[in-house]
Amino acid sequence: GAGVSQTPSNKVTEKGKYVELRCDPISGHTALYWYRQSLGQGPEFLIYFQGTGAADDSGLPNDRFFAVRPEGSVSTLKIQRTERGDSAVYLCASSPDFSNSPLHFGNGTRLTVT
Amino acid sequence: AQSVAQPEDQVNVAEGNPLTVKCTYSVSGNPYLFWYVQYPNRGLQFLLKYITGDNLVKGSYGFEAEFNKSQTSFHLKKPSALVSDSALYFCAVRGLISNFGNEKLTFGTGTRLTIIP
């Protein structure tokens, strides 16, 4: 079946601009995660949704970052006033429940802020 | 807070030899442990997990991992390495909290495995 889909695959934006990154999870998966991966680093947790609500947003670095999942399926990560330090690969993952299921990752969106 | 350590940034192994990629963890309560593999320009792919039961778990592509509670380790192993095993490997841990059943999944910094023909 279809996996986790992230669009766009690449995004180049100028410093100070606003960007939206989209994630389509696997159908029926109730849990959705956003991670950020910088070059040479492991994925860094940003936010986790259980259904429509953000169960844990402790990883969002500051108030320029925000994520929504209004209908419990597709999620959008929004970054305001982008900075060069925001450049990274943003990974989305979903899982069927919130117990011991592994996360299924998308291929990520590579964000470059110039 | 939970954490994962992968002490080796790079591991080189000759094709056909056994391989080990090391991982230690710290978490409150019983851990859920995972290994993921990442190929260039791709997302992470799940390899195997330890939840409970046998300390030796088997996963995809002939990989296995051994859970050692006393050493808080979860090393990834394979008896005979293939060139196609060359990739970036991440260990991850998840603890258990009461509200939603799970903590977030916390990843290590990764180990680049290179299999030499």
Side-chain angles (χ1 to χ4, degrees):
Chain A
V4 176
S5 176
Q6 291 188 247
T7 54
S9 55
N10 281 283
K11 176 71 176 178
V12 180
T13 190
E14 293 179 348
K15 179 177 178 294
K17 298 290 187 181
Y18 167 83
V19 296
E20 290 189 351
L21 312 179
R22 176 187 170 106
C23 173
D24 281 85
I26 293 172
S27 178
H29 282 193
T30 56
L32 186 146
Y33 301 77
W34 283 99
Y35 283 81
R36 177 169 71 175
Q37 186 175 21
S38 301
L39 193 63
Q41 300 295 316
E44 172 194 17
F45 172 79
L46 295 177
I47 186 170
Y48 152 48
F49 288 89
Q50 182 60 35
T52 60
D56 184 351
D57 64 356
S58 63
L60 295 177
N62 51 59
D63 61 6
R64 296 187 297 105
F65 288 75
F66 189 71
V68 296
R69 195 187 184 197
E71 298 178 357
S73 178
V74 171
S75 176
T76 304
L77 178 66
K78 308 180 180 191
I79 310 174
Q80 298 177 324
R81 305 183 304 280
T82 52
E83 299 177 356
R84 292 193 179 88
D86 299 335
S87 297
V89 176
Y90 289 81
L91 297 169
C92 177
S94 68
S95 70
D97 58 36
F98 51 87
S99 59
N100 56 26
S101 300
L103 274 59
H104 300 261
F105 282 85
N107 287 338
T109 293
R110 182 176 299 277
L111 176 66
T112 303
V113 181
T114 61
Chain B
Q2 57 195 35
S3 65
V4 175
Q6 293 183 242
E8 302 157 318
D9 291 335
Q10 173 83 39
V11 171
N12 297 327
V13 176
E15 185 178 20
N17 282 4
L19 68 88
T20 299
V21 182
K22 296 179 180 177
C23 170
T24 59
Y25 67 89
S26 173
V27 69
S28 299
N30 294 323
Y32 292 165
L33 293 157
F34 301 80
W35 275 100
Y36 284 82
V37 60
Q38 188 174 36
Y39 297 99
N41 300 315
R42 299 296 302 275
L44 283 78
Q45 296 178 27
F46 168 73
L47 272 181
L48 51 79
K49 66 179 180 181
Y50 171 82
I51 304 301
T52 186
D54 289 341
N55 289 341
L56 185 66
V57 294
K58 295 186 183 296
S60 306
Y61 312 119
F63 283 94
E64 57 190 28
E66 186 169 12
F67 171 64
N68 187 315
K69 187 172 183 177
S70 63
Q71 296 184 5
T72 62
S73 68
F74 189 56
H75 300 332
L76 181 70
K77 303 184 181 195
K78 186 172 182 180
S80 179
L82 300 173
V83 172
S84 58
D85 293 331
S86 298
L88 194 54
Y89 289 81
F90 291 96
C91 181
V93 68
R94 168 190 271 168
L96 186 66
I97 60 174
S98 60
N99 289 350
F100 303 102
N102 269 327
E103 279 266 357
K104 57 185 177 287
L105 197 60
T106 298
F107 286 86
T109 53
T111 298
R112 184 165 300 282
L113 176 65
T114 300
I115 308 303
I116 302 165

